[in-house]
Amino acid sequence: MIELKNHANQFALMHDEFLDDWNKAMASGDTSDLDRMTEDYYVAFFRDTKGKPAFFTKQESIDGLNQSVMHFLGCQKRFDNRVIRLRNVENAVVFYEQLIIKNEDVLAQLFTIENWQLIKGKWMIVREIEESIH
């Protein structure tokens, strides 16, 4: 149990850095530190409660990430209500509410679930689920 808690703490520190990298990208436009995706990474994006999700490959996600950062350049990303759970020492799941804010106005609000895997000593995102709240 102590070993898993130590791994969870190490993962949380890495994830804190990842979230910091998001805000650096939102300020600078440089997204290079955000590519922590496995080659077979994909994201499922739910726009509303009625439709099926849109699926994006790693390259489509990187392209969308770059477009999104440029569109929201100068905004802040806030990551609220984060919950981290380790399945085991090599697999983690993170849930949080993601807010994009400009001048105290919320421009976007999403629920995010990330699945991470420790691969060759480095934490990588395997898949992600995004659901628009508004």
Side-chain angles (χ1 to χ4, degrees), residues 63-79:
D63 293 344
L65 178 148
N66 288 325
Q67 291 171 0
S68 177
V69 165
M70 293 313 291
H71 178 74
F72 290 113
L73 196 61
C75 294
Q76 178 193 17
K77 263 198 180 196
R78 203 170 75 204
F79 306 92

Side-chain angles (χ1 to χ4, degrees), residues 41-47 52-57 61 110-113 115 126-132:
Y41 165 90
Y42 67 93
V43 63
F45 187 85
F46 291 85
R47 285 181 173 71
K52 293 182 180 182
F55 287 92
F56 301 96
T57 64
S61 296
L110 306 161
F111 283 136
T112 301
I113 301 173
N115 285 266
V126 177
R127 69 178 175 269
E128 196 171 342
I129 298 170
E130 299 274 350
E131 184 163 343
S132 179

Side-chain angles (χ1 to χ4, degrees), residues 85-103:
R85 294 293 182 263
L86 264 57
R87 296 176 192 261
N88 53 46
V89 296
E90 295 179 344
N91 293 279
V93 178
V94 182
F95 169 87
Y96 53 86
E97 179 183 2
Q98 186 178 153
L99 303 160
I100 299 175
I101 301 168
K102 185 170 188 173
N103 301 326

